[in-house]
Amino acid sequence: MSKGITSKEVDYSQWYNDIVVKAGLADHSSVRGCMVIKPNGFAIWEKIQQTLDKMFKDTGHVNAYFPLFIPKSYLSKEAAHVEGFAKECAVVTHYRLKNSADGKGVVVDPEAKLEEELIVRPTSETIIWNTYKNWIQSYRDLPILVNQWANVVRWEMRTRLFLRTAEFLWQEGHTAHATEKEAREEALKMHDVYADFAENFLAIPVLKGYKTESERFAGALDTYTIEMLMQDGKALQGGTSHFLGQNFAKAFDVTFATEKGDSDHVWASSWGVSTRLVGALIMAHSDDSGLVLPPKIAPTQVVIVPIFKGEDQLKQIKEKLDPIIKFLQDKNISVKFDGSEHKKPGWKFAEYELQGVPIRVAIGPRDLENNTVEIARRDTKEKQIIGIDEVSSFVPQLLDTIQKDLLEKAKAFRKEHTTEVDTYDDFKKILESKGGFVMAHWDGTAETEEKIKQETKATIRCVLLNNESEEGKCVYSGKSSKQRVVFAKAY
RNA sequence: CGGGGUGUAGCGCAGUCCGGUUAGCGUACCUGGUUUGGGACCAGGUGGUCGCAGGUUCGAAUCCUGCCACCCCGACCA
């Protein structure tokens, strides 16, 4: 076990916090609820960004940028939307400060009160739809497939690094369509993109489903979600995609001339994922030695630790490895050679484990003599000696293997922590003991959902798409039900 | 906003009950040397408005009053 990390078994949330801080991902800032994302953490976010951005563009989207500030009146144009976000908005009321009377600082200048207050965006539907009104006249202007990378602010009461911060980074896609069918297909398409990304890059298996009415995004007709399972048995909503119907088009009066010459309101979707995914990555794979990163998302995929005495030996090692490093880099593998003399090899081993670098290559005098290197994989901690000529072919293969193994391991964990129950007693028992996803019948009412939430803290995470229908009785009310839904305690 | 807790070196803490040498320990940092295949060792050194503002006292990190900040548990949120 690594120095200073609380064991997962002892205190899961302390373990999580220790990893974030000790691996240098982020820190609490001096501003309540806001974090400083440090280089190691930001590098992961950049990988997420790069990968997703390409996936968005490959599916026909383009990027744009809208203002941070939204006039207060915009928010209230869509009734459900304002209801959902009003309680957590930061509000700008003035635009100037002046020196205070005692000369010791500055105060808000009461003369500089804004005529209309601005809110700091908690999400951008309103400002964007107010803009789309100007962009759309005809069906020929549609669809609009725009994404924005931005920061948003939601004034949460209690925050946790990456999982819930007052300010966070995200992307939000906002699309406009001529038909209901097309808008819904778009929402589902992006839902698929998120699921694909989660499984194939983050190595986190997801449940694909839709939210019940009470868990839906404020202003949406349908919210599609990818639900992930963390190592402590709690669920995490990894990303959502919303079918917004014509709600925002109606609120902002966005109409277009159809092919037939009629006028109709535009159909909409929106979708987003945030820096929360970094938190998901930590909680899905990491262990008591630190971060474990899937190779496809690791900023550094291979670290080389030379063991040497004096410059000559270091030079000798470097010369031997240079062609191999170059070969790997040409294959788009990120390699770091840590020839620093200030830290001992043992220190470096521990440090790169903490940072989650998937593969470590160690090479010392012994290896120089035998023409070998030691290869260690982060996920299993297995070590083996291979010939130096094999490195170029072995490393790319091993990266693939680690990527696959992490997903398989996470899948096995989820399978083990997914339980079908038929009575409320079992329902509570499972939640108390091993947690995880609990598949149970539900009568479809918001009342039952609310009661269960109050009594057990478990919520309906989603109703699976392509859910098998099955006759049964609601675990809570005993009323008849046609399908099981996914319950879990969640972040 | 309710209940509990904590503010002392970059970080983690002791000292506060019961006022009294120069405020201490671990770690980190700097210098020198020996080391280097799993977080090295020895020696020396730097670093403090003791959260802030008043008060009591010959004397306050310690006692009193007020304020501020942060953390945890609830309520809120996904």
Side-chain angles (χ1 to χ4, degrees), chain A residues 4-174:
Chain A
I5 294 184
T6 306
S7 166
K8 222 166 25 181
E9 309 297 328
V10 172
D11 183 344
Y12 190 85
S13 56
Q14 189 57 49
W15 165 82
Y16 173 82
N17 243 317
D18 283 351
I19 291 199
V20 172
V21 174
K22 301 256 158 78
L25 303 182
D27 263 329
H28 289 285
S29 71
S30 48
V31 181
R32 195 205 70 99
C34 296
M35 63 178 168
V36 174
I37 305 177
K38 295 171 75 177
N40 288 348
F42 203 78
I44 297 172
W45 176 241
E46 283 179 314
K47 289 287 277 195
I48 292 174
Q49 267 189 310
Q50 286 159 10
T51 309
L52 277 174
D53 200 64
K54 176 160 193 329
M55 292 172 90
F56 296 157
K57 285 171 179 162
D58 287 348
T59 45
H61 302 86
V62 291
N63 287 330
Y65 188 80
F66 296 85
L68 169 69
F69 301 120
I70 300 177
K72 194 180 70 179
S73 60
Y74 286 17
L75 199 69
S76 48
K77 287 193 178 177
E78 211 290 326
H81 191 70
V82 67
E83 168 76 19
F85 287 104
K87 282 172 285 182
E88 50 188 47
C89 283
V91 185
V92 180
T93 56
H94 293 75
Y95 58 85
R96 193 166 63 210
L97 300 170
K98 62 173 191 179
N99 292 325
S100 61
D102 62 9
K104 283 182 179 164
V106 285
V107 293
V108 172
D109 185 347
E111 308 265 299
K113 192 164 164 41
L114 288 172
E115 200 125 305
E116 180 176 2
E117 289 154 347
L118 298 170
I119 61 163
V120 180
R121 62 183 164 214
T123 179
S124 301
E125 273 77 6
T126 56
I127 186 78
I128 286 179
W129 278 88
N130 185 71
T131 308
Y132 280 179
K133 181 179 164 58
N134 303 325
W135 292 7
I136 300 166
Q137 272 93 43
S138 145
Y139 71 94
R140 294 181 215 264
D141 298 323
L142 297 170
I144 292 177
L145 304 172
V146 163
N147 175 63
Q148 152 165 281
W149 290 97
N151 58 341
V152 286
V153 168
R154 295 180 185 176
W155 213 265
E156 303 284 358
M157 297 293 226
R158 289 182 68 174
T159 57
R160 295 196 63 192
L161 293 171
F162 288 113
L163 296 177
R164 179 175 291 110
T165 44
E167 179 193 13
F168 56 93
L169 305 184
W170 78 344
Q171 58 70 214
E172 46 182 327
H174 295 274

Side-chain angles (χ1 to χ4, degrees), chain A residues 359-386:
Chain A
I359 294 179
R360 180 186 73 230
V361 178
I363 173 163
R366 219 154 64 202
D367 296 299
L368 280 181
E369 216 165 285
N370 302 331
N371 238 10
T372 56
V373 298
E374 179 196 79
I375 299 236
R377 53 188 280 189
R378 173 63 184 89
D379 59 334
T380 61
K381 303 249 191 99
E382 285 165 350
K383 290 191 268 196
Q384 58 180 304
I385 307 287
I386 66 167

Side-chain angles (χ1 to χ4, degrees), chain A residues 161-202:
Chain A
L161 293 171
F162 288 113
L163 296 177
R164 179 175 291 110
T165 44
E167 179 193 13
F168 56 93
L169 305 184
W170 78 344
Q171 58 70 214
E172 46 182 327
H174 295 274
T175 68
H177 306 267
T179 65
E180 171 174 8
K181 181 167 173 284
E182 206 184 296
R184 192 180 281 280
E185 279 170 1
E186 166 74 11
L188 285 165
K189 181 200 279 176
M190 299 324 286
H191 185 232
D192 284 341
V193 166
Y194 287 155
D196 178 15
F197 173 72
E199 302 209 342
N200 293 316
F201 287 87
L202 305 181

Side-chain angles (χ1 to χ4, degrees), chain A residues 310-475:
Chain A
E311 296 226 343
D312 283 353
Q313 228 168 48
L314 178 60
K315 202 175 155 206
Q316 224 180 321
I317 291 171
K318 194 137 193 351
E319 273 169 13
K320 193 114 187 179
L321 286 181
D322 264 345
I324 297 170
I325 293 172
K326 185 153 188 338
F327 178 88
L328 293 175
Q329 283 172 340
D330 285 347
K331 287 195 143 189
N332 267 330
I333 292 169
S334 55
V335 184
K336 174 173 176 171
F337 182 91
D338 186 351
S340 141
E341 291 188 67
H342 307 300
K343 303 289 184 190
K344 291 183 55 174
W347 191 91
K348 293 176 187 171
F349 290 175
E351 183 62 20
Y352 291 112
E353 267 166 22
L354 180 56
Q355 290 180 21
V357 178
I359 294 179
R360 180 186 73 230
V361 178
I363 173 163
R366 219 154 64 202
D367 296 299
L368 280 181
E369 216 165 285
N370 302 331
N371 238 10
T372 56
V373 298
E374 179 196 79
I375 299 236
R377 53 188 280 189
R378 173 63 184 89
D379 59 334
T380 61
K381 303 249 191 99
E382 285 165 350
K383 290 191 268 196
Q384 58 180 304
I385 307 287
I386 66 167
I388 205 159
D389 301 330
E390 297 170 69
V391 175
S392 302
S393 57
F394 189 84
V395 163
Q397 260 176 36
L398 184 57
L399 287 172
D400 281 347
T401 306
I402 293 172
Q403 182 79 33
K404 284 193 194 98
D405 286 0
L406 281 175
L407 178 62
E408 286 313 311
K409 191 179 167 197
K411 274 185 178 168
F413 178 86
R414 185 181 70 178
K415 193 174 177 195
E416 209 176 298
H417 290 82
T418 301
T419 316
E420 284 196 3
V421 304
D422 291 312
T423 69
Y424 195 47
D425 274 348
D426 286 348
F427 183 91
K428 286 186 283 193
K429 222 177 283 172
I430 293 295
L431 279 174
E432 287 311 308
S433 53
K434 67 172 178 177
F437 290 129
V438 180
M439 317 293 287
H441 280 282
W442 165 60
D443 62 19
T445 68
E447 293 75 43
T448 296
E449 191 180 1
E450 181 59 26
K451 290 270 194 224
I452 292 177
K453 181 177 174 181
Q454 276 169 15
E455 290 174 24
T456 68
K457 297 203 162 186
T459 49
I460 298 177
R461 301 318 304 157
C462 65
V463 182
L464 293 176
L465 292 171
N466 326 315
N467 208 9
E468 288 169 28
S469 65
E470 175 193 296
E471 289 296 326
K473 289 198 162 40
C474 172
V475 285

